[in-house]
Amino acid sequence: MKKSILFIFILSICFLMTPSFNYALQDNNKEIYNILLVGKDGISQKNSRSDTMIILTVDNKNKNLKLTSLARDTLVYIPKRGYDKLNHAFFYGGCDLLLKTINHNFDLNIKDYAIVDFKSFVEVINALDGVEVNIEDREIEALNKVINACYGLEIENEGNNIEYITSSGNYLLNGYQALAYCRLRKIDNCFYRDARQRKVLESLAYKLSKVSVWKYSELIRIILKYVKVSVSPEKILDLAIISRHLTSYEIKQLEFPIDKFREDGRLKSNSQYVIKWNREENIKLLHEFIYN
């Protein structure tokens, strides 16, 4: 099965959601804070692509949170590499080049990030005792096939003790099930998959907002074993202590490029599939979403 996707979440990101912090993740607008959430495909440390890219925006000005999914096949200019898919920037130069590519093409100034791969995502979800998601009837059959593949990522789990989804409704998904849910796209397309990732992210955010402050330090220590971040543990803990107002925020969502200003296309050089987009209209709407 093609290792097409990984979704990302980290406890520290939830703890960056507070109207009173002012010393991290600053963009040009001091009341708007952005951080890039990156999910690597597979479990390899080399030759990975960033098949999940979500901008988390903390909007202190308008008192809400925003999640912007960046479609992995978006056609962009990668510095010193030329035009290619957005997720290939990570393959060529890691998160540094990915950030440069995103900032250059989308007129942003994001400086911080968090990264996980398949295995670390599973570990993070299990460390948080699962995530609650509503499963639809149409998702069950395909989801169970991906669940089987996700358990097989680790040899000791292959074919053993697999927990399948048996009916529609709300489920507390374990790490393997949550990973499968975030990779699922065969029944529809990559944009639906991105929406599933944001659904998991939102569910985790609300769950973590209810965690006792006395557990912050322990959870941060556990999760930072699996997640690479550009924010220090000390700052994460400071932010965690003052982030008790999370549930008062509205979490808004956006898929980028925007539906009516994008189209399928092919690269002339190798005919690979890409998403072409109207720069003027998309940048305008992206900035309106993030900054207004």
Side-chain angles (χ1 to χ4, degrees):
M1 177 175 294
K2 183 177 180 180
K3 296 177 179 178
S4 60
I5 194 63
L6 167 58
F7 173 75
I8 162 120
F9 201 86
I10 174 177
L11 182 63
S12 64
I13 303 309
C14 279
F15 292 153
L16 298 176
M17 302 172 179
T18 170
S20 56
F21 82 90
N22 58 12
Y23 51 83
L25 313 181
Q26 293 198 19
D27 211 316
N28 291 329
N29 185 328
K30 292 183 179 180
E31 292 185 288
I32 306 295
Y33 305 86
N34 294 311
I35 184 168
L36 180 66
L37 313 181
V38 179
K40 296 166 38 178
D41 64 350
I43 58 177
S44 172
Q45 297 301 311
K46 297 181 179 180
N47 300 328
S48 296
R49 295 165 297 179
S50 54
D51 277 350
T52 294
M53 294 160 286
I54 297 177
I55 300 172
L56 167 63
T57 300
V58 182
D59 185 347
N60 294 332
K61 178 180 179 181
N62 299 297
K63 306 305 180 193
N64 53 45
L65 302 172
K66 303 167 187 177
L67 298 173
T68 303
S69 293
L70 304 178
R72 67 177 191 168
D73 295 320
T74 304
L75 179 62
V76 295
Y77 177 78
I78 301 176
K80 298 183 179 180
R81 301 292 308 195
Y83 285 92
D84 206 334
K85 294 185 179 186
L86 178 59
N87 71 334
H88 287 182
F90 190 89
F91 177 90
Y92 294 135
C95 213
D96 287 342
L97 183 57
L98 177 60
L99 282 174
K100 288 180 181 178
T101 301
I102 289 172
N103 290 333
H104 173 78
N105 286 271
F106 308 147
D107 294 339
L108 297 171
N109 187 29
I110 303 173
K111 299 177 181 178
D112 286 276
Y113 59 84
I115 307 173
V116 292
D117 62 14
F118 283 178
K119 184 175 181 180
S120 56
F121 174 77
V122 171
E123 298 289 355
V124 168
I125 295 298
N126 287 339
L128 298 174
D129 298 323
V131 59
E132 186 172 333
V133 174
N134 184 271
I135 305 298
E136 301 177 18
D137 279 325
R138 71 184 189 92
E139 297 172 327
I140 295 174
E141 182 178 357
L143 178 59
N144 281 329
K145 292 179 180 179
V146 186
I147 287 175
N148 188 73
C150 288
Y151 271 85
L153 289 172
E154 297 180 277
I155 296 176
E156 63 270 21
N157 288 326
E158 190 169 5
N160 297 320
N161 302 315
I162 300 178
E163 297 181 46
Y164 293 108
I165 303 301
T166 57
S167 62
S168 61
N170 288 326
Y171 278 85
L172 184 65
L173 303 181
N174 64 31
Y176 296 106
Q177 294 169 328
L179 175 60
Y181 183 77
C182 293
R183 294 177 64 189
L184 181 62
R185 68 184 179 94
K186 294 296 185 181
I187 60 173
D188 32 52
N189 58 41
C190 61
F191 301 114
Y192 281 90
R193 178 198 57 193
D194 289 350
R196 292 185 184 98
Q197 295 167 16
R198 296 194 301 272
K199 185 189 295 186
V200 171
L201 187 72
E202 184 175 14
S203 180
L204 277 173
Y206 284 116
K207 177 176 182 176
L208 291 171
S209 71
K210 305 301 182 183
V211 172
S212 168
V213 67
W214 304 109
K215 294 184 178 180
Y216 284 3
S217 181
E218 178 186 358
L219 285 175
I220 291 172
R221 177 181 56 79
I222 292 173
I223 291 176
L224 289 184
K225 289 169 52 181
Y226 308 113
V227 182
K228 180 180 179 180
V229 297
S230 60
V231 185
S232 72
E234 292 77 18
K235 284 187 178 180
I236 293 172
L237 183 56
D238 288 342
L239 295 172
I241 294 173
I242 59 175
S243 64
R244 304 307 297 168
H245 304 294
L246 174 61
T247 54
S248 67
Y249 286 88
E250 176 185 0
I251 299 181
K252 298 182 178 181
Q253 302 184 18
L254 180 72
E255 179 74 40
F256 186 88
I258 311 302
D259 185 18
K260 63 180 179 179
F261 296 116
R262 70 180 184 232
E263 62 181 1
D264 295 348
R266 297 283 175 180
L267 284 179
K268 293 182 179 180
S269 59
N270 54 19
S271 296
Q272 69 175 331
Y273 169 79
V274 294
I275 298 171
K276 297 183 177 180
W277 50 292
N278 180 301
R279 176 178 170 80
E280 181 179 357
E281 294 295 337
N282 274 285
I283 295 298
K284 176 183 176 181
L285 293 173
L286 176 65
H287 283 227
E288 285 181 357
F289 178 74
I290 290 179
Y291 295 107
N292 295 326

